[in-house]
Amino acid sequence: MALGAGRVACRGLVFITIAGDAADEIRAHAALRRMETGKSRGFGSVRVEVTLGDSCWTTSVFPRTSHEGYLLPVKATVRKAEGLGEDDGVQVTLSLL
């Protein structure tokens, strides 16, 4: 799934907010995995492969506690490698694992 996103910063990480149809798809995937395995991942996280520009990595997205949707953490090393500033918009592609 491809998405553009808003951001939240915390302790050196920038969290990209995933909402709308993309969040619904992640939520459905998490529910299916719970039915298949009988358990959920810690903190309700969902494993994903992320592509942002030329950078690709595996991480987890986390459900937002105050709003619907998920948060995708992006480390400073990725932002630096992609030449991203604090207010730059991004296009991210996620593959659910």
Side-chain angles (χ1 to χ4, degrees), residues 12 15 18 21-22 28 33 40 45 50-51 53-54 75 78-79 83 91 94 96:
F15 291 88
I18 304 168
D21 291 342
R33 298 289 290 179
S40 62
S45 65
V50 183
T51 303
D54 292 329
K75 293 181 179 181
V78 172
R79 296 190 317 271
Q91 182 72 26
L94 298 179
L96 300 171

Side-chain angles (χ1 to χ4, degrees), residues 41-95:
R41 293 182 45 85
F43 303 103
S45 65
V46 178
R47 295 291 291 166
V48 294
E49 182 177 84
V50 183
T51 303
L52 191 161
D54 292 329
S55 299
C56 185
W57 72 99
T58 301
T59 190
S60 296
V61 293
F62 300 89
R64 293 191 64 172
T65 56
S66 60
H67 299 87
E68 290 189 23
Y70 288 82
L71 294 174
L72 168 67
V74 181
K75 293 181 179 181
T77 53
V78 172
R79 296 190 317 271
K80 184 176 180 181
E82 295 300 324
L84 296 173
E86 189 172 317
D87 294 321
D88 291 344
V90 296
Q91 182 72 26
V92 177
T93 302
L94 298 179
S95 297

Side-chain angles (χ1 to χ4, degrees), residues 6-52:
R7 292 186 307 276
V8 176
C10 179
R11 298 183 187 191
L13 287 174
V14 169
F15 291 88
I16 297 175
T17 303
I18 304 168
D21 291 342
D24 292 342
E25 189 174 337
I26 294 169
R27 194 173 299 104
H29 176 78
L32 180 60
R33 298 289 290 179
R34 277 193 305 277
M35 289 190 316
E36 291 174 347
T37 64
K39 57 186 175 180
S40 62
R41 293 182 45 85
F43 303 103
S45 65
V46 178
R47 295 291 291 166
V48 294
E49 182 177 84
V50 183
T51 303
L52 191 161

